């Protein structure tokens, strides 16, 4: 077997299962999960109808590059959403079966193993970046995101030697778990660094459409390029998904867009990798990317749930409603229940609610795991379940004081 498989860490949800395995939660309380970031709002019915009407496409092999109609819809969506002058559907866009597989595959295709490669990732982070780096043969360099950095990657803290060794950086904006958003200035700073030190930026923007302020959508990497008149998007690739935007995690649909040279090499890799998107999924995706009404309604529900949490728990916990995403990333020490693992165990044991201990999403770097003492609460359940979960968390805190 590939020895690098042994380097992979236990996935956070396996660690959570082990942590909770001996506990029998109260039977009279129904379980509420705030641990997994799986969207639970209903998918748009017109997408389901499109799938039903596309069944005849089962008999056709899709191409890895995807149908031009699919790529054109994506190109139009990107131009409109990120104020781009142009993005060529033929050379600058590819389908992905969700961002997860594309984020993973991207490191395998881009890393040059001969040159002691280094991949930079935020810490805490979406676990795929690390697995992708380890299996690509690269070393990892973590960028700690904590209260002092506004939970953002601080590019100014990285030395020139690290940038020189860096072949690829994953950024996540809006961030999982914090929901913090990298602004235009930070993105442009990173683009300038990429030019100077010759590395690729992989920008995971799968939460870009779940934002709190309707008048302030998160900035994207391609938008930052366009502002700099860099219309070839050199060294920049973005990853987007329908999973969160349109509540379609089971559809497995996303896309990759940016630098045409990188896209061409990645397409070559993907042709052998065998990850063409089914034509049925492409039709459903065209329908979903062409409509914003359902996305706006989706945002309203998350907004409502954040406000409910704030109302119920604002006095007991340091809650900050994030700029975007659907997670609350909460320093749990002031609750007085214990650290992130103890809090998560007690919450399950007393209230049958699951949350994720923040340390499982981070790694020890510079003598600290920035996830420690934080918990991640995914507000994905229904509005009523979220209200109930907030009440139960309040009870746990009250019973411990
Ligand atoms: C930061 C981040 N990136 C990517 C993904 C993968 O999403 P999908 O593969 O459904 O597009 C997730 C899923 O939770 C995520 O949190």
């Amino acid at each position: 077997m590939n020895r690098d498989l042994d380097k992979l860490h236990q996935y956070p949800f396996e660690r959570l299962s082990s942590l909770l395995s001996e506990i029998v939660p109260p039977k009279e309380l129904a379980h509420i999960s705030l641990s997994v970031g799986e969207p639970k709002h209903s998918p748009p019915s017109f997408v389901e109808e499109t799938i039903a009407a596309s069944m005849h496409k089962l008999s056709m092999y899709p191409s890895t590059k995807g149908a031009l109609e699919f790529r054109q819809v994506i190109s139009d969506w990107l131009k409109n959403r990120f104020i781009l002058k142009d993005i060529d559907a033929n050379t600058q866009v590819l389908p992905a079966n969700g961002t997860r597989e594309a984020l993973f595959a991207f490191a395998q295709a881009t890393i040059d193993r001969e040159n002691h490669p280094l991949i930079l990732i935020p810490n805490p982070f979406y676990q795929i970046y690390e697995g992708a780096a380890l299996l690509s043969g690269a070393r990892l360099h973590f960028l700690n995101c904590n209260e002092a950095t506004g939970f953002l990657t601080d590019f100014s803290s990285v030395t020139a030697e690290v940038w020189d060794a860096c072949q690829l950086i994953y950024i996540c904006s809006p961030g999982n778990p914090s929901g913090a958003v990298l602004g235009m200035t930070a993105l442009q700073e990173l683009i300038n660094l990429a030019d100077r030190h010759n590395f690729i930026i992989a920008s995971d923007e799968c939460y870009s459409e779940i934002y709190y302020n309707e008048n302030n959508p998160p900035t994207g990497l391609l938008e930052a390029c366009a502002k700099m008149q860099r219309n070839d998007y050199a060294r920049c690739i973005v990853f987007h998904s329908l999973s969160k935007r349109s509540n379609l995690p089971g559809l497995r649909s996303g896309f990759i867009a940016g630098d045409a040279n990188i896209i061409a090499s990645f397409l070559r890799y993907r042709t052998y990798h065998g990850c063409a998107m089914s034509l049925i999924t492409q039709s459903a995706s065209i329908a979903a990317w062409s409509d914003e009404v359902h996305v706006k309604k989706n945002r309203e529900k998350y907004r409502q749930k954040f406000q409910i949490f704030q109302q119920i728990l604002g006095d007991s916990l340091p809650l900050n409603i994030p700029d975007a995403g659907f997670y609350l990333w909460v320093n749990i020490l002031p609750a007085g229940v214990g650290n992130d693992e103890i809090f998560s165990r007690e919450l399950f044991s007393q209230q049958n609610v699951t949350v994720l201990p923040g340390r499982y999403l981070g790694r020890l770097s510079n003598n600290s795991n920035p996830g420690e003492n934080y918990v991640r609460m995914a507000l994905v359940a229904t509005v009523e379940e979220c209200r109930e979960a907030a009440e139960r968390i309040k009870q746990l805190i009250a019973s411990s004081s």
Side-chain angles (χ1 to χ4, degrees):
M1 295 300 286
N2 180 346
R3 296 239 193 101
D4 285 343
L5 286 172
D6 296 334
K7 295 182 184 162
L8 296 175
H9 290 248
Q10 204 182 13
Y11 215 69
F13 301 114
E14 290 171 40
R15 291 179 73 183
L16 182 63
S17 291
S18 310
L19 180 78
L20 306 181
S21 64
E22 309 272 286
I23 298 171
V24 182
K27 282 200 187 63
E28 65 283 8
L29 296 175
H31 177 236
I32 302 176
S33 171
L34 305 181
S35 47
V36 186
E38 181 184 56
K40 296 279 184 220
H41 302 163
S42 307
S45 54
F46 64 83
V47 171
E48 293 169 354
E49 285 154 20
T50 308
I51 291 172
S54 309
M55 282 305 165
H56 60 283
K57 296 180 181 169
L58 272 177
S59 58
M60 287 173 260
Y61 268 124
S63 69
T64 308
K65 190 169 177 178
L68 181 59
E69 190 192 355
F70 171 90
R71 285 178 278 117
Q72 193 59 57
V73 165
I74 301 298
S75 153
D76 292 343
W77 182 81
L78 280 169
K79 276 191 259 183
N80 186 45
R81 169 65 176 83
F82 294 110
I83 322 159
L84 310 182
K85 201 160 151 223
D86 199 13
I87 180 143
D88 182 12
N90 205 29
T91 58
Q92 293 180 310
V93 178
L94 281 181
N97 294 305
T99 41
R100 181 181 182 133
E101 69 83 5
L103 286 162
F104 177 82
F106 194 64
Q108 318 315 311
T110 52
I111 289 301
D112 171 8
R113 286 169 178 258
E114 301 298 309
N115 278 317
H116 306 289
L118 189 65
I119 296 184
L120 272 56
I121 70 172
N123 185 29
F125 57 94
Y126 178 55
Q127 303 290 294
I128 300 307
Y129 313 147
E130 182 190 60
L134 293 172
L135 290 179
S136 73
R139 293 165 298 135
L140 276 157
H141 181 91
F142 293 106
L143 299 178
N144 286 358
C145 304
N146 49 35
E147 208 171 344
T149 69
F151 302 102
L152 292 167
T153 32
D154 174 13
F155 306 122
S156 67
S157 68
V158 181
T159 63
E161 290 72 36
V162 169
W163 286 128
D164 280 340
C166 173
Q167 289 188 13
L168 172 66
I169 180 170
Y170 284 103
I171 56 172
C172 185
S173 177
N176 173 4
S178 72
V181 173
L182 284 166
M184 183 60 87
T185 310
L187 290 172
Q188 293 188 349
E189 178 193 355
L190 185 62
I191 293 167
N192 285 328
L193 284 161
D195 283 347
R196 208 172 313 138
H197 298 275
N198 191 21
F199 59 83
I200 296 171
I201 309 171
S203 182
D204 179 356
E205 303 182 0
C206 75
Y207 291 96
S208 71
E209 304 316 290
I210 310 295
Y211 47 89
Y212 194 76
N213 180 349
E214 207 56 42
N215 299 318
N216 191 19
T219 308
L221 185 66
L222 299 186
E223 188 176 0
C225 288
K227 257 261 151 89
M228 299 162 88
Q229 317 293 337
R230 250 166 141 272
N231 295 320
D232 60 356
Y233 311 112
R235 300 190 180 82
C236 295
I237 296 286
V238 295
F239 297 75
H240 281 267
S241 171
L242 288 175
S243 299
K244 333 286 178 192
R245 173 191 190 272
S246 300
N247 302 312
L248 291 165
L251 187 65
R252 310 311 303 132
S253 177
F255 69 82
I256 308 139
D259 182 325
N261 291 325
I262 300 173
I263 292 276
S265 297
F266 197 29
L267 173 60
R268 196 164 164 216
Y269 173 91
R270 291 171 76 72
T271 305
Y272 282 86
H273 182 56
C275 50
M277 179 189 281
S278 135
L279 288 170
I280 299 172
T281 305
Q282 290 189 47
S283 298
S285 307
I286 288 170
W289 287 112
S290 304
D291 178 75
E292 293 300 323
V293 177
H294 74 283
V295 192
K296 196 165 180 221
K297 285 193 189 140
N298 202 22
R299 283 195 287 274
E300 277 162 18
K301 283 194 198 147
Y302 286 119
R303 212 169 279 136
Q304 195 185 350
K305 293 191 274 189
F306 278 125
Q307 285 162 359
I308 288 171
F309 260 71
Q310 185 79 291
Q311 278 158 17
I312 298 175
L313 285 168
D315 292 338
S316 323
L317 282 174
L319 288 191
N320 291 312
I321 298 181
D323 289 338
F326 49 53
Y327 301 108
L328 279 169
W329 180 240
V330 190
N331 181 350
I332 215 65
L333 282 186
V337 179
N339 67 26
D340 50 325
E341 278 190 319
I342 297 171
F343 180 92
S344 305
R345 240 182 9 228
E346 287 305 311
L347 184 61
F348 184 57
S349 160
Q350 297 184 34
Q351 301 291 343
N352 206 359
V353 175
T354 42
V355 294
L356 193 63
R359 70 182 65 192
Y360 296 176
L361 294 170
R363 296 283 176 263
L364 194 65
S365 171
N366 277 340
N367 298 320
S368 102
N369 176 340
E372 207 171 286
N373 297 326
Y374 280 77
V375 296
R376 193 189 75 176
M377 302 177 184
L379 303 197
V380 288
T382 62
V383 172
E384 277 326 303
E385 277 182 310
C386 281
R387 187 189 301 281
E388 170 71 18
E391 293 288 0
R392 292 196 209 166
I393 293 170
K394 189 173 178 156
Q395 276 182 33
L396 171 74
I397 296 171
S399 70
S400 307
S401 60

